[in-house]
Amino acid sequence: MAKTITLIPGDGIGPEVTRATRTILDRSGAELEYDEQVAGVAALKSKNNPLPQETLDSIEATGVALKGPLTTPSGTGFRSINVAIRKEFDLYANVRPVETILPGGRYQDIDLVLIRENTEGLYVGVEHYIGMEGDPKAAAESVMIITRFGAERICRYAFEYAKRNGRKKVTLAHKANILKYTQGLFVEVGHKVAQDYPDIVWEDRIIDATAMQLVLNPHDFDVLVMENMFGDILSDLMAGLVGGLGFAPAANIGDDAAMFEAVHGSAPDIAGQGVANPTSLTLSACLMLEHLEQPEPAARIRSALGSVLQAAEVRTPDMGGNHGTEDFTDAVLQALD
Ligand code: NAI
Ligand code: MG
């Protein structure tokens, strides 16, 4: 029986990469039906609400969403709808695998997974201005929240993930030398959880040194776990190890729902031009198929993507080519047949 999922095309390049991904899914043998919903700027325009109740109800009912990127205004305007969806469904684990799929990059055979805590840290959005001497914005303050519960469940998720996927090592990256309470609690909890997994090598490292080591010696790492903002920043860095944001998928996992999306944003600079690279969202769809226990179509799509990228004949501009999204998608469809 086909599984119904919630499909949110999103903003900017969202509709372009979503269309491409859906065409590829349809040809892959995946057994899916789609309940299409809106969110973000698209929803603000059509429904006067960036996160309509119908969209939330749909995710609640299907338990699985495939989502294009959503534009979030910087500094002012509505809060991130991505963050709101993650919070609404308590999608606490943001799983971001980074694998070499584009040949000829800076590194070969990269195979890393970043597990980012998705509900706490600085991204709880508890912030305000402090007024002084007539300046209403003399200072601004943000609160970083780390709970024992939140740290424990994300560290355990990382070790369980490592165990389930035959991975050898978990690195916990943190800044407990400076943020002794918040980051200190995260590390303390990590140490405790690690004791339940004696077969998995584990280490903790300072976040800034981790960033440098990832660039110098990425093969030293395997699974990485960290709090929300550090995970946000390092996942873009890690995407850079394998050719950029166009190749980085993400799964947001909770106990009752999951949402799959690209790591990249709505790319307003290239939106509407038909040149976006759909690989990231298509790989996210593969993670979704694996989550839905449909591993065969996922494997077919990965292999088709791999062979198109290997052949290097049809590439979008971010890969140094001059083909558009449609040409690339057609090449993947041909490789699928
Ligand atoms: P971005 O990821 O949209 O773009 C960064 C750079 O990468 C741009 O030069 C863009 O053209 C390029 N790029 C990104 N994806 C690409 C693709 N698939 N193919 C080819 N090139 C690609 O980041 P930016 O510009 O900082 O953010 C734009 C908007 O997206 C913001 O409103 C931001 O809040 C939102 N955003 C949404 C996310 C989500 O929905 N999960 C995640 C990150 C950002
Ligand atoms: Mg990000």
Side-chain angles (χ1 to χ4, degrees):
M1 240 205 36
K3 164 73 188 150
T4 302
I5 64 146
T6 303
L7 183 71
I8 302 171
D11 300 321
I13 61 170
E16 301 165 48
V17 293
T18 307
R19 199 177 315 117
T21 299
R22 186 166 165 179
T23 317
I24 293 167
L25 281 170
D26 286 345
R27 193 77 72 86
S28 71
E31 292 181 28
L32 297 173
E33 306 242 347
Y34 302 91
D35 179 17
E36 196 165 320
Q37 296 289 340
V38 288
V41 173
L44 195 60
K45 279 191 191 139
S46 64
K47 303 201 166 178
N48 207 21
N49 177 355
L51 187 53
Q53 189 59 43
E54 297 93 295
T55 302
L56 292 173
D57 290 346
S58 171
I59 301 174
E60 172 96 45
T62 63
V64 177
L66 180 63
K67 188 188 73 58
L70 303 177
T71 298
T72 308
S74 258
T76 58
F78 62 83
R79 298 205 86 90
S80 166
I81 300 305
N82 299 309
V83 174
I85 295 175
R86 290 170 192 160
K87 272 168 112 164
E88 175 74 23
F89 295 100
D90 200 20
L91 307 177
Y92 63 90
N94 194 327
V95 181
R96 298 182 156 186
V98 175
E99 257 181 278
T100 302
I101 179 168
L102 181 70
R106 200 174 308 243
Y107 298 104
Q108 289 307 307
D109 306 322
I110 297 281
D111 180 11
L112 302 168
V113 182
L114 185 142
I115 313 263
R116 161 185 172 192
E117 202 292 321
N118 226 6
T119 61
E120 302 192 335
L122 280 172
Y123 289 13
V124 292
V126 179
E127 48 177 6
H128 58 253
Y129 291 116
I130 300 166
M132 267 184 282
E133 293 169 3
D135 179 358
K137 296 185 181 176
E141 190 170 61
S142 262
V143 182
M144 176 183 271
I145 309 270
I146 302 283
T147 66
R148 184 179 297 283
F149 171 79
E152 147 103 36
R153 74 174 170 173
I154 196 65
C155 290
R156 195 163 291 286
Y157 187 94
F159 279 98
E160 284 295 325
Y161 181 97
K163 195 167 133 185
R164 207 168 53 244
N165 293 283
R167 295 199 170 250
K168 305 275 178 286
K169 180 175 168 187
V170 173
T171 301
L172 184 156
H174 63 88
K175 194 73 186 176
N177 51 333
I178 305 295
L179 300 169
K180 293 187 190 296
Y181 289 68
T182 46
Q183 292 292 306
L185 178 60
F186 196 87
V187 179
E188 180 190 313
V189 170
H191 271 269
K192 262 212 194 95
V193 172
Q195 281 162 23
D196 294 340
Y197 301 87
D199 297 338
I200 295 170
V201 178
W202 102 283
E203 62 180 0
D204 71 80
R205 288 196 194 211
I206 306 286
I207 186 73
D208 34 355
T210 305
M212 181 195 67
Q213 283 303 333
L214 273 167
V215 173
L216 287 180
N217 300 307
H219 296 104
D220 276 1
F221 295 90
D222 190 348
V223 174
L224 296 97
V225 61
M226 60 201 74
E227 69 88 31
N228 210 336
M229 186 167 75
F230 292 161
D232 188 10
I233 297 170
L234 282 204
S235 50
D236 277 30
L237 180 148
M238 286 166 58
L241 300 174
V242 295
L245 286 171
F247 301 94
N252 297 273
I253 310 277
D255 290 334
D256 305 316
M259 175 177 76
F260 300 82
E261 62 181 344
V263 170
H264 63 71
S266 55
D269 52 337
I270 58 164
Q273 297 175 16
V275 295
N277 174 5
T279 305
S280 178
L281 189 68
T282 305
L283 287 171
S284 307
C286 290
L287 297 177
M288 177 184 78
L289 289 173
E290 284 153 0
H291 174 82
L292 294 172
E293 294 177 359
Q294 298 188 29
E296 292 89 3
R300 277 198 287 279
I301 294 173
R302 285 181 199 283
S303 140
L305 277 172
S307 63
V308 171
L309 294 169
Q310 191 76 41
E313 278 158 19
V314 185
R315 287 185 164 181
T316 47
D318 60 303
M319 305 179 221
N322 54 12
H323 288 85
T325 313
E326 256 177 53
D327 287 353
F328 183 80
T329 308
D330 286 343
V332 176
L333 294 177
Q334 266 181 28
L336 270 173
D337 288 339

